[in-house]
Amino acid sequence: CDDGQCLLLDRNGELLYSDALPVALNFEDPSAFRVKSFGELLRALGVFQLCSVPVLVNNCGKLMSVARTLLGKRGFALFLRPSVYAQFVAGESEGEITHSMEKMSSLGLRPMLAVPIEEDLGESTGERRYNDNLASMLECVDMSHSNAWSKDPMMQLKITALLSPELCVKLSTLLSEQQYDLDLLVRAMDGEVGDFPGLQESENTHFLCGLQRLNKVGEASANKVRVLVDAEYTYMNPALSLVTMAMMKKFNQDGAWIWNTYQCYLKESRSLLLEDVRLSISESFCLGVKLVRGAYMDKERKLANSEGCSEPVHESWEHTNDSYNGSLDILLELISRDPQRYRIIVATHNEESVRRAVQRMGELGIDKDGGSVCFGQLLGMCDHVSLTLAQQGYLVYKSVPYGSVDNTLPYLVRRAQENRTVLQGIRKERDLLRLELHRRLRQGLRQGS
């Protein structure tokens, strides 16, 4: 021990344990962007400048629709591809995606592929469309597993791509009155025909088909790819969690392959997390957690006000931060005791939450590269945090949508509108990019003189 820091070495002098706290993370240093090309710096600056204008973000769907009409499908794609699309999407063809993923891997980042398919109320498209979506999900599993991009691949899954939102809403209403047995859902995944209380015959049939689609994703990904199930709106989340817990019971016996998402801007998020921790213990499965603040705040508030209900989201940003950090502390404590049973991805662009996670990992002795704790940000955003973490040896995933301009456009519009506060708060990243750009320009002038 020296200066209060204890090191434990083996007989060969190899470090076995250290209670030294991790080096303080510096998110103020533009040198993190030195791995980016000059063109990438310019593109990011241009896109972030546009994203900083509220009127453009709030009306981006209408503006893109007008631009598509004026420019035509091909002209619109040519306009969007080198700018917004290239910033936030990995590509369309397997070659483009592979190139993006190899570049990401070279920077120490890991991809978390996301098929840009989802539905909301009134958008249901029938069993044939859901089966087509299943094929896309299975392709995503195969792409995530078959390439050497990542040692421990992940992908995202939206249940409403495989199960109608209307049914999820009805199930959520039913669940407020009665609980469904997880074993009933697991048997249905295995092909057993059964009746679910409260559902009409057609709804029952669709639920069975949806569960079997989800089972195919689970079987294809088991022991290969970790599937992170996204949370959506509060009016359907209970059904999504029920299905996710059933998938966990079936596929998470020996490891966390199916993960659930917890939205910490919701007042009930902490109790939901603790309830699922207890369920994982009683049902003997491993628990994977994607911890987010949440992206549907405006819609949730409007919906609650229109129905005369109390708002489900926290009153302030400070309350949301407390909720997030409290849930983070709970998970890290559990992981420190049993890192094989619990896993978490700290999915946030908030620097203080990232610092808190790193600090607690050091205090609890959690390995930065052990796999039980990783960090996540969106592709094309918050790179000063992602790259700094990766350079310090932490596991960092980037959420990576892929597909054609037409297929990814609705996804990008929704993400832009849901993440307005994040987009409008990218001034710091923009300033760091500008500093790095100026440094290169000065360097180029000195070399040229």
Side-chain angles (χ1 to χ4, degrees), residues 244-364:
T244 305
M245 291 301 119
M247 293 181 73
M248 283 191 186
K249 179 167 185 179
K250 179 171 183 183
F251 297 108
N252 283 14
Q253 293 301 310
D254 301 317
W257 296 99
I258 307 296
W259 298 34
N260 198 26
T261 298
Y262 298 85
Q263 301 160 304
C264 292
Y265 70 172
L266 297 179
K267 296 174 183 176
E268 63 176 359
S269 60
R270 185 89 56 88
S271 61
L272 292 175
L273 174 61
L274 291 172
E275 183 181 319
D276 288 346
V277 168
R278 288 190 287 267
L279 184 64
S280 72
I281 294 170
S282 65
E283 297 286 351
S284 301
F285 60 76
C286 301
L287 183 67
V289 170
K290 178 183 176 185
L291 199 66
V292 304
R293 276 173 169 74
Y296 306 114
M297 184 177 294
D298 290 346
K299 183 167 182 176
E300 293 287 7
R301 281 188 167 143
K302 287 177 183 176
L303 185 63
N305 291 333
S306 68
E307 295 181 352
C309 304
S310 61
E311 293 181 358
V313 298
H314 286 294
E315 292 84 1
S316 69
W317 179 249
E318 289 73 25
H319 284 107
T320 298
N321 287 340
D322 290 342
S323 172
Y324 191 94
N325 293 332
S327 294
L328 175 62
D329 287 344
I330 290 170
L331 262 299
L332 292 178
E333 191 73 41
L334 289 169
I335 288 168
S336 71
R337 298 176 192 169
D338 194 344
Q340 300 306 313
R341 176 166 288 276
Y342 303 100
R343 285 180 178 248
I344 184 176
I345 180 166
V346 185
T348 180
H349 292 190
N350 184 282
E351 295 175 13
E352 288 311 310
S353 289
V354 170
R355 286 194 178 95
R356 184 187 185 97
V358 167
Q359 179 78 8
R360 290 296 291 148
M361 287 173 70
E363 293 169 353
L364 294 168

Side-chain angles (χ1 to χ4, degrees), residues 88 110-114 156 377-379 397-401 411:
F88 299 119
R110 299 181 176 193
M112 178 168 55
L113 294 182
Q156 291 173 245
Q377 288 89 36
L378 298 173
L379 177 67
Y397 288 80
K398 300 291 272 189
S399 175
V400 180
Y411 179 90

Side-chain angles (χ1 to χ4, degrees), residues 28-269:
E28 324 297 326
D29 187 358
S31 65
F33 292 117
R34 291 186 181 182
V35 295
K36 289 186 174 291
S37 69
F38 191 79
E40 288 170 336
L41 292 175
L42 285 175
R43 183 188 68 210
L45 272 171
V47 170
F48 288 169
Q49 192 67 45
L50 292 174
C51 292
S52 300
V53 182
V55 69
L56 294 181
V57 175
N58 294 340
N59 297 284
C60 60
K62 295 175 183 176
L63 292 170
M64 287 188 180
S65 180
V66 170
R68 193 180 189 281
T69 301
L70 293 174
L71 299 174
K73 181 178 179 180
R74 186 178 178 187
F76 181 65
L78 289 172
F79 164 72
L80 212 62
R81 263 187 171 275
S83 54
V84 176
Y85 178 93
Q87 183 69 19
F88 299 119
V89 182
E92 179 177 0
S93 68
E94 188 164 352
E96 290 174 337
I97 298 167
T98 298
H99 176 74
S100 296
M101 298 305 95
E102 288 176 347
K103 174 69 184 294
M104 190 181 300
S105 180
S106 72
L107 301 178
L109 305 175
R110 299 181 176 193
M112 178 168 55
L113 294 182
V115 183
I117 304 172
E118 60 188 334
E119 288 186 354
D120 196 2
L121 292 174
E123 299 175 355
S124 298
T125 47
E127 295 295 339
R128 183 174 178 179
R129 176 62 174 168
Y130 291 126
N131 287 332
D132 290 342
N133 291 348
L134 171 62
S136 298
M137 295 295 177
L138 294 176
E139 284 178 9
C140 185
V141 172
D142 185 60
M143 199 184 310
S144 298
H145 172 64
S146 61
N147 292 281
W149 303 327
S150 178
K151 179 183 175 183
D152 192 8
M154 291 182 176
M155 64 172 278
Q156 291 173 245
L157 171 68
K158 281 195 177 287
I159 286 178
T160 52
L162 304 175
L163 194 63
S164 84
E166 285 78 12
L167 181 59
C168 291
V169 171
K170 181 165 184 177
L171 282 168
S172 296
T173 303
L174 292 171
L175 288 169
S176 66
E177 303 166 357
Q178 60 181 326
Q179 291 300 307
Y180 279 23
D181 184 4
L182 290 185
D183 288 325
L184 180 62
L185 274 73
V186 171
R187 290 196 298 271
M189 288 180 186
D190 289 331
E192 182 178 315
V193 178
D195 292 325
F196 294 94
L199 297 185
Q200 298 177 5
E201 183 178 352
S202 60
E203 294 169 332
N204 199 81
T205 300
H206 174 61
F207 193 28
L208 288 169
C209 290
L211 288 171
Q212 287 165 26
R213 280 188 285 266
L214 288 161
N215 184 64
K216 289 179 180 177
V217 174
E219 288 181 336
S221 61
N223 302 314
K224 297 177 183 175
V225 180
R226 302 189 192 278
V227 178
L228 279 59
V229 178
D230 284 332
E232 300 185 45
Y233 300 105
T234 50
Y235 52 72
M236 64 175 75
N237 276 346
L240 305 184
S241 290
L242 171 71
V243 171
T244 305
M245 291 301 119
M247 293 181 73
M248 283 191 186
K249 179 167 185 179
K250 179 171 183 183
F251 297 108
N252 283 14
Q253 293 301 310
D254 301 317
W257 296 99
I258 307 296
W259 298 34
N260 198 26
T261 298
Y262 298 85
Q263 301 160 304
C264 292
Y265 70 172
L266 297 179
K267 296 174 183 176
E268 63 176 359
S269 60

